[in-house]
mmCIF file of all heavy atoms in Angstrom:
data_model
loop_
_atom_site.group_PDB
_atom_site.id
_atom_site.type_symbol
_atom_site.label_atom_id
_atom_site.label_comp_id
_atom_site.label_asym_id
_atom_site.label_seq_id
_atom_site.Cartn_x
_atom_site.Cartn_y
_atom_site.Cartn_z
ATOM 1 N N VAL B 47 -17.534 8.922 16.812
ATOM 2 C CA VAL B 47 -16.451 8.221 16.121
ATOM 3 C C VAL B 47 -16.314 6.841 16.747
ATOM 4 O O VAL B 47 -16.156 6.704 17.960
ATOM 5 C CB VAL B 47 -15.128 8.998 16.205
ATOM 6 C CG1 VAL B 47 -14.001 8.198 15.543
ATOM 7 C CG2 VAL B 47 -15.276 10.357 15.532
ATOM 8 N N ILE B 48 -16.386 5.820 15.901
ATOM 9 C CA ILE B 48 -16.303 4.426 16.348
ATOM 10 C C ILE B 48 -14.964 3.862 15.902
ATOM 11 O O ILE B 48 -14.703 3.715 14.713
ATOM 12 C CB ILE B 48 -17.451 3.591 15.755
ATOM 13 C CG1 ILE B 48 -18.804 4.206 16.140
ATOM 14 C CG2 ILE B 48 -17.375 2.140 16.227
ATOM 15 C CD1 ILE B 48 -19.997 3.537 15.469
ATOM 16 N N GLY B 49 -14.110 3.550 16.880
ATOM 17 C CA GLY B 49 -12.747 3.115 16.600
ATOM 18 C C GLY B 49 -11.834 4.319 16.591
ATOM 19 O O GLY B 49 -11.872 5.118 15.662
ATOM 20 N N THR B 50 -10.994 4.484 17.631
ATOM 21 C CA THR B 50 -10.284 5.755 17.790
ATOM 22 C C THR B 50 -8.768 5.621 17.881
ATOM 23 O O THR B 50 -8.089 6.545 18.301
ATOM 24 C CB THR B 50 -10.800 6.493 19.041
ATOM 25 O OG1 THR B 50 -10.506 5.715 20.206
ATOM 26 C CG2 THR B 50 -12.289 6.751 18.944
ATOM 27 N N ARG B 51 -8.225 4.482 17.496
ATOM 28 C CA ARG B 51 -6.770 4.398 17.364
ATOM 29 C C ARG B 51 -6.378 4.911 15.980
ATOM 30 O O ARG B 51 -7.212 4.996 15.086
ATOM 31 C CB ARG B 51 -6.291 2.948 17.523
ATOM 32 C CG ARG B 51 -6.497 2.357 18.897
ATOM 33 C CD ARG B 51 -5.887 0.976 18.981
ATOM 34 N NE ARG B 51 -4.436 1.037 18.945
ATOM 35 C CZ ARG B 51 -3.660 1.152 20.011
ATOM 36 N NH1 ARG B 51 -4.198 1.226 21.206
ATOM 37 N NH2 ARG B 51 -2.346 1.188 19.883
ATOM 38 N N GLY B 52 -5.127 5.234 15.777
ATOM 39 C CA GLY B 52 -4.624 5.550 14.447
ATOM 40 C C GLY B 52 -5.514 6.495 13.671
ATOM 41 O O GLY B 52 -5.720 7.655 14.021
ATOM 42 N N GLY B 54 -8.658 6.578 13.402
ATOM 43 C CA GLY B 54 -9.809 7.027 14.168
ATOM 44 C C GLY B 54 -9.515 8.244 15.027
ATOM 45 O O GLY B 54 -10.381 9.108 15.211
ATOM 46 N N PHE B 55 -8.293 8.331 15.557
ATOM 47 C CA PHE B 55 -7.902 9.517 16.320
ATOM 48 C C PHE B 55 -7.886 10.727 15.393
ATOM 49 O O PHE B 55 -8.289 11.831 15.761
ATOM 50 C CB PHE B 55 -6.532 9.296 16.963
ATOM 51 C CG PHE B 55 -6.233 10.197 18.131
ATOM 52 C CD1 PHE B 55 -7.183 11.082 18.625
ATOM 53 C CD2 PHE B 55 -5.000 10.155 18.752
ATOM 54 C CE1 PHE B 55 -6.917 11.907 19.708
ATOM 55 C CE2 PHE B 55 -4.712 10.978 19.833
ATOM 56 C CZ PHE B 55 -5.665 11.855 20.313
ATOM 57 N N LEU B 58 -11.436 11.894 14.982
ATOM 58 C CA LEU B 58 -11.872 12.688 16.134
ATOM 59 C C LEU B 58 -11.422 14.134 16.004
ATOM 60 O O LEU B 58 -12.202 15.074 16.215
ATOM 61 C CB LEU B 58 -11.301 12.088 17.421
ATOM 62 C CG LEU B 58 -12.004 10.868 18.010
ATOM 63 C CD1 LEU B 58 -11.199 10.315 19.174
ATOM 64 C CD2 LEU B 58 -13.415 11.212 18.460
ATOM 65 N N ILE B 75 -17.447 9.195 21.955
ATOM 66 C CA ILE B 75 -16.306 8.399 21.512
ATOM 67 C C ILE B 75 -16.626 6.947 21.825
ATOM 68 O O ILE B 75 -16.935 6.602 22.968
ATOM 69 C CB ILE B 75 -15.022 8.826 22.253
ATOM 70 C CG1 ILE B 75 -14.615 10.236 21.822
ATOM 71 C CG2 ILE B 75 -13.904 7.830 22.027
ATOM 72 C CD1 ILE B 75 -13.493 10.817 22.657
ATOM 73 N N CYS B 76 -16.570 6.094 20.801
ATOM 74 C CA CYS B 76 -16.886 4.680 20.995
ATOM 75 C C CYS B 76 -15.665 3.840 20.648
ATOM 76 O O CYS B 76 -15.197 3.869 19.506
ATOM 77 C CB CYS B 76 -18.076 4.279 20.121
ATOM 78 S SG CYS B 76 -18.575 2.545 20.309
ATOM 79 N N ASP B 77 -15.164 3.127 21.616
ATOM 80 C CA ASP B 77 -14.013 2.248 21.380
ATOM 81 C C ASP B 77 -14.051 1.109 22.393
ATOM 82 O O ASP B 77 -14.364 1.334 23.560
ATOM 83 C CB ASP B 77 -12.699 3.029 21.517
ATOM 84 C CG ASP B 77 -11.557 2.337 20.798
ATOM 85 O OD1 ASP B 77 -11.178 1.220 21.223
ATOM 86 O OD2 ASP B 77 -11.054 2.884 19.808
ATOM 87 N N LEU B 82 -7.906 3.905 25.895
ATOM 88 C CA LEU B 82 -7.704 5.049 25.003
ATOM 89 C C LEU B 82 -8.558 6.257 25.396
ATOM 90 O O LEU B 82 -8.295 7.372 24.919
ATOM 91 C CB LEU B 82 -8.059 4.652 23.565
ATOM 92 C CG LEU B 82 -7.305 3.476 22.951
ATOM 93 C CD1 LEU B 82 -7.876 3.173 21.568
ATOM 94 C CD2 LEU B 82 -5.823 3.779 22.859
ATOM 95 N N TRP B 83 -9.559 6.037 26.192
ATOM 96 C CA TRP B 83 -10.581 7.055 26.397
ATOM 97 C C TRP B 83 -10.054 8.380 26.941
ATOM 98 O O TRP B 83 -10.384 9.448 26.407
ATOM 99 C CB TRP B 83 -11.668 6.524 27.338
ATOM 100 C CG TRP B 83 -12.558 5.502 26.719
ATOM 101 C CD1 TRP B 83 -12.499 5.001 25.455
ATOM 102 C CD2 TRP B 83 -13.653 4.846 27.362
ATOM 103 N NE1 TRP B 83 -13.489 4.068 25.263
ATOM 104 C CE2 TRP B 83 -14.213 3.954 26.416
ATOM 105 C CE3 TRP B 83 -14.214 4.906 28.628
ATOM 106 C CZ2 TRP B 83 -15.313 3.143 26.705
ATOM 107 C CZ3 TRP B 83 -15.307 4.098 28.928
ATOM 108 C CH2 TRP B 83 -15.860 3.228 27.965
ATOM 109 N N ARG B 86 -8.275 10.586 24.412
ATOM 110 C CA ARG B 86 -9.170 11.024 23.335
ATOM 111 C C ARG B 86 -10.155 12.071 23.828
ATOM 112 O O ARG B 86 -10.411 13.075 23.146
ATOM 113 C CB ARG B 86 -9.937 9.835 22.767
ATOM 114 C CG ARG B 86 -9.263 9.058 21.647
ATOM 115 C CD ARG B 86 -7.879 8.631 21.960
ATOM 116 N NE ARG B 86 -7.295 7.788 20.913
ATOM 117 C CZ ARG B 86 -6.025 7.423 20.902
ATOM 118 N NH1 ARG B 86 -5.200 7.832 21.865
ATOM 119 N NH2 ARG B 86 -5.553 6.657 19.941
ATOM 120 N N ALA B 119 -13.984 3.997 11.978
ATOM 121 C CA ALA B 119 -12.563 3.784 11.712
ATOM 122 C C ALA B 119 -12.070 2.551 12.464
ATOM 123 O O ALA B 119 -10.968 2.512 12.993
ATOM 124 C CB ALA B 119 -11.762 5.015 12.112
#
Side-chain angles (χ1 to χ4, degrees):
V47 177
I48 303 174
T50 63
R51 294 185 70 90
F55 200 4
L58 280 173
I75 292 171
C76 181
D77 201 295
L82 302 176
W83 287 1
R86 273 52 175 172

